[in-house]
Structures are given as C-alpha cells and as structure tokens.
Amino acid sequence: MKKNWIYWLLAIVITLVLSIYQRMTGPTHPKSVTVELNGESYKMKLPRSGVQKDEMVTLRGVHSAAPIDAQLHYRRYPTTDDYTTVDFGRPYRDWEAALPVQPVGGKLQYYITVEGNDYPADEPVVIRFRNDVPASILIPHILLMFGAMLFAVYTLLLVLARKPYSKWLKITVGTLFVGGFIFGPLVQHAAFGPWWTGFPYGTDLTDNKTLLSFVFFAIALATLKWKYNKWLVGLAVLLMIAVFTIPHSAFGSEYDYTTQQLGTEKPTQALP
C-alpha cells in the first residue's frame, strides 16, 4: 500500500500527457500563426470551433490607428463556392473581422491575408459551428472521461505490479459507461441535436472510440475470474490509450449545404 501513491502519480502524469496531446491535436483546437505586419511579428490564434453567433477573427496586439492591409477570406465547407472577402476593422481595441454564423454542424473554410501574405500558408482553416453546451453536462462529461482514463491507467499499473486490480477495473468500466454513454450523448445532443453519431449511424470517431474501448473493458470485466484475465485488462487499457490519442471530434457532425441536413463528416471527404 505504501507504493500506491507512486502508481497514482504515474497514472496522473500519463493521463495528463494523453489529455493534453488529444486537446492540442484535435480539430477544434485553435490554429496558431505568426503574422508579419509593418515589420512586426504578432502571434494569433485562428478559431476552429464556434457557437451560434458570428465568430470574430482578431489581430490581437495590433494597435495601429491607421488602416491596415488585412483581409479575411471564407467560404462554406465542403463546397467549391467562391471565397467572400472582408476587410479587418477596428470597432474596439483590436482589429477584427467576422465569420458569419452557420447552421448547427455547418463549417467555413477560411484564411487571412496580411500585407499580401496568406495565413496559414499551407492550407485554410476549417471552423465548425455548434450550439453552446451547458456546463452542467459538459463538465461532468469531461471529468468522467478523464477519470475513466486515469482509473484505467492505474488498473494497468496494478496489473503490472501483480497487485489486486478487480476493484479498479469495475470502477473504470462504471466511470467510462456514465461518462461516455450517459453524459456523452447529452453533450452530443446539446451541441448538435443527435444523441449518437457513431456506429452504426455515423463516422464520429469520438463516439466510435468510446464504444470500442467500452466493449474491450466489458469483455475484461466479464472474464474477471479467467486466469489470463490480466492480459485482457492490459489489452483493453492499451487499446484505450491508443484510441484516445485519436483527435477529439474528428469525423463528427457536419451540415450538408447541398441537402441542408445534418450528417457526419466522411473520412474520405476532400475538396477538389
């Protein structure tokens, strides 16, 4: 028991690293760019997630009172529409340009031009619009999914140390079920409307990876008295770690501008 704090510390560190990695690589995390303007460099973040209002793209830290040569270009995604171009203005302290609000699940593809240079230089940013999710369901969902990963890693460490682990396996399965299959659909419904967009209804990787992880943990729990159960537990935890490194919200809900209906993004989707 004296060494349990070491296992907890390792589990917390591993869980934090995985959570940060998933957050930083996800399609909703803002895109960081460095803009050159009037011989100065400015770091800014281009939003990739918006709620039901115009989303402002801001050149922070640029305090020039004179007009600046900066434009925002956007079009609906995925379409071959022509880009709409608007100039940055300064209604308050910072220079801003607005991305118009889209239907729930609707996306815009956009980039900015400053003094003739395009940002990002490689490819435009895609932003998806959703409903605002109440904190009363979003926070429990995040904490429960974080807890499920933490308990899973701790269970694996107990398995490796050849210590009793059945209690924490049960806690992991229970936490994953509540976080992923009760609060998860509540968050999905609040944000986009549907309750579930994974298999067999769609391609949402967030739903699908939760389902896959739960199936393996359920098998491990059902075979708890099997002498080789520890190998199944180890496989379930390693699979959870692997699938949870997949970016959050990838291939999720997406508004189809052609049919004017909400569906899910196709894995093979690409603009011509």
Side-chain angles (χ1 to χ4, degrees):
M1 295 295 293
K2 293 182 180 180
K3 292 184 178 180
N4 278 8
W5 71 270
I6 298 178
Y7 302 143
W8 277 116
L9 180 61
L10 286 174
I12 291 172
V13 170
I14 293 171
T15 303
L16 285 174
V17 170
L18 291 172
S19 299
I20 293 172
Y21 173 80
Q22 185 188 69
R23 171 63 179 167
M24 296 296 292
T25 58
T28 61
H29 189 71
K31 174 76 173 180
S32 297
V33 296
T34 300
V35 172
E36 301 293 332
L37 177 65
N38 297 327
E40 299 288 339
S41 296
Y42 300 92
K43 292 184 178 181
M44 62 178 299
K45 293 184 177 180
L46 302 177
R48 295 198 287 184
S49 179
V51 294
Q52 289 299 285
K53 62 179 181 179
D54 291 352
E55 184 69 26
M56 305 308 297
V57 179
T58 305
L59 292 171
R60 298 191 183 280
V62 180
H63 304 312
S64 172
I68 62 174
D69 180 17
Q71 299 83 34
L72 170 67
H73 317 273
Y74 63 86
R75 67 177 178 183
R76 298 180 303 174
Y77 178 89
T79 72
T80 56
D81 295 348
D82 292 333
Y83 279 98
T84 297
T85 299
V86 295
D87 292 324
F88 275 81
R90 194 186 185 196
Y92 303 106
R93 186 170 183 267
D94 295 309
W95 289 89
E96 298 177 332
L99 292 167
V101 62
Q102 299 297 297
V104 171
K107 296 180 179 179
L108 293 176
Q109 185 178 45
Y110 74 97
Y111 65 98
I112 65 174
T113 301
V114 180
E115 292 188 338
N117 296 314
D118 294 336
Y119 302 93
D122 49 356
E123 61 179 346
V125 175
V126 174
I127 180 173
R128 179 175 63 167
F129 289 80
R130 57 173 174 80
N131 292 319
D132 198 10
V133 180
S136 59
I137 59 176
L138 181 60
I139 293 176
H141 169 66
I142 294 173
L143 292 178
L144 286 164
M145 296 307 292
F146 181 89
M149 174 63 76
L150 175 63
F151 299 146
V153 174
Y154 181 69
T155 302
L156 177 61
L157 294 176
L158 292 179
V159 169
L160 295 175
R162 298 183 178 182
K163 293 180 175 292
Y165 60 83
S166 61
K167 170 186 173 182
W168 291 103
L169 175 60
K170 295 174 183 177
I171 292 175
T172 299
V173 174
T175 306
L176 180 59
F177 178 80
V178 176
F181 296 98
I182 295 180
F183 280 95
L186 287 172
V187 171
Q188 175 75 359
H189 177 67
F192 299 106
W195 293 92
W196 181 266
T197 55
F199 178 83
Y201 302 108
T203 59
D204 192 328
L205 290 188
T206 300
D207 288 349
N208 283 332
K209 69 186 182 183
T210 302
L211 177 61
L212 184 62
S213 292
F214 183 78
V215 167
F216 273 79
F217 272 106
I219 293 174
L221 184 60
T223 59
L224 191 57
K225 295 183 179 181
W226 189 36
K227 64 178 180 179
Y228 298 114
N229 177 257
K230 63 181 180 180
W231 296 104
L232 288 177
V233 173
L235 178 61
V237 177
L238 292 176
L239 177 66
M240 176 187 243
I241 293 174
V243 300
F244 271 73
T245 58
I246 298 173
H248 193 68
S249 299
F251 302 130
S253 297
E254 180 178 86
Y255 184 81
D256 189 324
Y257 288 101
T258 302
T259 64
Q260 297 185 349
Q261 293 181 345
L262 184 68
T264 54
E265 180 184 356
K266 302 300 185 293
T268 57
Q269 179 175 282
L271 282 176

